[in-house]
Amino acid sequence: MDTSERGRAADNRPYFFLSYAHTPPWGTGGGDPDHWVHVLFRDLCDHIMALTDLPAGATAGFMDREMRSGDGWPDKLSENLALCRVFVPLFSPRYFTSEMCGREWYAFNERIVQAKTAGAGDVPAIVPALWTHVPFDQLPDSVRHIHIEHSPFGERYLAHGIYGLIKLKRLKDEYDETVLALAQRIVRVAHESPLPSSRPRPYETTPSAFKPRGEGPRSIHLTVAAPTRHTVPENRDTRPYGEDARDWNPYHSESTRPLPALAEELIRSLDYRITVSDFDDGHSVPDLPVADGPDGRGGGETDQPRHPAILLVDRWAVHDEERRGRLREFDMAAHPWVSAIVPWNRADLQCHGEEGLRLKAELELVLPNILEHGRRTDCRVAVTGVPTLKAFTDVLPSVVAHATRQYLRNAAAHPPPGPRGLRPRLMGPHHPPPSDAGPDHGGEA
């Protein structure tokens, strides 16, 4: 056996994590409402043991059925999300309203994003399966980019899902074929696109990848204030910079991707629609609604962005006098729902010493309002200097959530465009004027 075969044989991590929405009991005296999910899990494990060389006693897959009522189950859940090779979400209408499922999805997808950031390329380690039929237009935005390979399983699978196949005795053969094909795909993805393990993400602080029930589309804007390799100060290392501010990669020793691209992907996985701009383009927070000023031409005091916003800023950006002035103006006009993140790589020697302290003090003078607002939140590290890539990915969801809360709390609601109608008024009872007409004039007798 060669070295690579010995390495693969020693990898006894579970092949899959089965993520499903728990069905609530609907009456007294009923059985386990998730019984059939457990049947599917056992069948998948049987197939995977037959298809692989996992040793006796190894765990083929993981589901939370056995440990939901025990102590320490959040830790167990997080450990398996950090270890399992493939994530298998069981799609159903209930799945996308479950906060627990949303947290599981986000934690596993974060592993994929981290692997891509380290240079692994695309890792298709999420393998969805239909538990019941779900129309595509009901899928959250955070899910639609995932390749969903359902067609090989047949029309009845698409119409009824695995639940329908397992419940109808006449479709038993199709159920068996579907589950075997799903197990084969799990094994193939695990071997062809291996996903490294990661440190467990604390379940309690893991955000959900699905927006809350009844909430409409969520949007956010990310503005990047950073030099390019052509505008960076003369003594500054150019490796973190590119042709555009959006190419900025302060953690270049850890990541092969620009930080704005990583942030965009992580925010999108939180079920947001995100736009990204370069601060130097002059559109720091786009999509301003035009408010009528005194002359009817717009530009009134109620102008404000339509979305919460995040400023991703490099301290070296304040070296440029003109940009420094525009950042100061931006800070003076910023609303409470504009938050900032200040990446500051502790492995970058130029970020330390007298120069680092000077830049930190300069940024405090340029963005006093935004930075002070950030220090009063539970994600203070975002504005005091985010030292590592892991710290950045940890704090980003909290900053997004805070900016969104501030927007919902403080942003003024605007009426829809179009002419304004008269406001209705409550009137008292109407009494017709007295009439002198008698019976001879057509009145009632």
Side-chain angles (χ1 to χ4, degrees):
M1 180 184 294
D2 63 23
T3 304
S4 61
E5 288 177 338
R6 284 199 301 271
R8 188 175 67 81
D11 186 356
N12 295 331
R13 294 178 299 160
Y15 267 82
F16 70 100
F17 183 109
L18 189 65
S19 176
Y20 66 102
H22 292 260
T23 304
W26 59 269
T28 59
D32 179 3
D34 294 318
H35 166 74
W36 295 110
V37 177
H38 191 235
V39 171
L40 168 64
F41 175 75
R42 289 200 317 264
D43 291 342
L44 282 172
C45 288
D46 288 344
H47 287 313
I48 287 174
M49 290 301 293
L51 294 169
T52 67
D53 58 357
L54 281 176
T59 304
F62 174 85
M63 69 176 291
D64 66 359
R65 184 174 186 267
E66 289 83 4
M67 38 72 73
R68 277 299 300 277
S69 59
D71 293 335
W73 68 264
D75 293 337
K76 189 73 172 175
L77 200 73
S78 297
E79 289 170 8
N80 279 275
L81 283 167
L83 288 175
C84 287
R85 313 181 201 201
V86 175
F87 184 75
V88 181
L90 290 186
F91 282 11
S92 68
R94 193 182 301 279
Y95 187 85
F96 300 108
T97 63
S98 167
E99 182 180 2
M100 181 175 182
C101 295
R103 290 185 180 192
E104 292 169 357
W105 184 292
Y106 184 87
F108 194 89
N109 186 70
E110 187 180 50
R111 278 180 63 191
I112 296 176
V113 173
Q114 290 171 349
K116 186 190 296 186
T117 298
D122 290 326
V123 183
I126 297 179
V127 178
L130 284 180
W131 183 241
T132 59
H133 176 72
V134 182
F136 181 80
D137 60 4
Q138 291 185 13
L139 298 179
D141 290 345
S142 55
V143 168
R144 296 186 184 186
H145 70 286
I146 299 294
H147 177 63
I148 304 174
E149 189 179 359
H150 291 330
S151 55
F153 299 124
E155 292 298 324
R156 288 192 178 92
Y157 167 82
L158 293 174
H160 304 297
I162 294 176
Y163 176 76
L165 300 183
I166 201 173
K167 288 289 288 183
L168 298 175
K169 293 182 180 179
R170 62 185 175 84
L171 300 180
K172 183 180 184 306
D173 289 345
E174 292 193 39
Y175 167 77
D176 291 340
E177 291 178 7
T178 297
V179 177
L180 176 59
L182 179 58
Q184 290 170 332
R185 185 166 181 227
I186 291 170
V187 172
R188 183 173 68 252
V189 169
H191 290 172
E192 293 178 355
S193 304
L195 180 65
S197 300
S198 67
R199 284 191 303 172
R201 200 186 206 289
Y203 176 80
E204 292 81 0
T205 59
T206 300
S208 173
F210 313 141
K211 59 179 175 283
R213 184 196 299 267
E215 187 174 301
R218 301 187 294 185
S219 299
I220 197 165
H221 184 74
L222 180 71
T223 298
V224 187
T228 68
R229 64 164 53 103
H230 305 294
T231 62
V232 73
E234 184 176 324
N235 63 333
R236 176 63 171 139
D237 182 1
T238 60
R239 285 179 296 175
Y241 305 98
E243 299 297 318
D244 187 276
R246 286 164 290 196
D247 297 325
W248 178 40
N249 184 11
Y251 309 111
H252 59 90
S253 60
E254 301 179 72
S255 170
T256 62
R257 303 177 66 199
L259 191 63
L262 171 64
E264 181 179 3
E265 188 168 354
L266 286 172
I267 293 173
R268 187 173 288 115
S269 72
L270 290 167
D271 210 4
Y272 279 79
R273 297 173 182 177
I274 178 173
T275 51
V276 183
S277 69
D278 179 350
F279 182 82
D280 288 347
D281 288 343
H283 299 286
S284 304
V285 183
D287 299 327
L288 291 176
V290 178
D292 289 336
D295 59 358
R297 296 183 182 180
E301 294 181 357
T302 58
D303 285 7
Q304 54 187 314
R306 298 181 191 272
H307 323 303
I310 295 175
L311 176 66
L312 192 63
V313 58
D314 180 15
R315 287 176 182 163
W316 292 86
V318 300
H319 249 291
D320 181 83
E321 183 177 352
E322 192 270 336
R323 187 189 297 115
R324 187 166 62 246
R326 287 189 292 106
L327 281 168
R328 188 176 290 112
E329 293 175 2
F330 179 82
D331 179 76
M332 293 174 62
H335 294 282
W337 53 87
V338 178
S339 297
I341 305 180
V342 185
W344 191 244
N345 187 353
R346 67 184 179 193
D348 187 337
L349 296 180
Q350 288 188 316
C351 293
H352 302 283
E354 292 184 5
E355 180 71 354
L357 292 174
R358 188 188 70 78
L359 290 174
K360 180 179 181 180
E362 184 68 29
L363 190 66
E364 294 282 346
L365 294 175
V366 171
L367 299 175
N369 297 316
I370 294 177
L371 296 184
E372 177 58 29
H373 181 69
R375 277 191 289 268
R376 295 197 301 265
T377 69
D378 57 357
C379 38
R380 185 173 182 271
V381 67
V383 296
T384 57
V386 185
T388 65
L389 183 62
K390 180 66 169 61
F392 179 85
T393 59
D394 284 346
V395 78
L396 180 62
S398 298
V399 175
V400 171
H402 175 76
T404 302
R405 286 194 302 269
Q406 291 299 312
Y407 181 78
L408 295 175
R409 182 179 302 159
N410 295 289
H414 293 280
R420 298 183 180 180
L422 294 176
R423 297 179 63 182
R425 299 176 58 191
L426 289 175
M427 307 291 290
H430 177 69
H431 299 286
S435 174
D436 294 333
D440 295 338
H441 294 85
E444 292 183 0

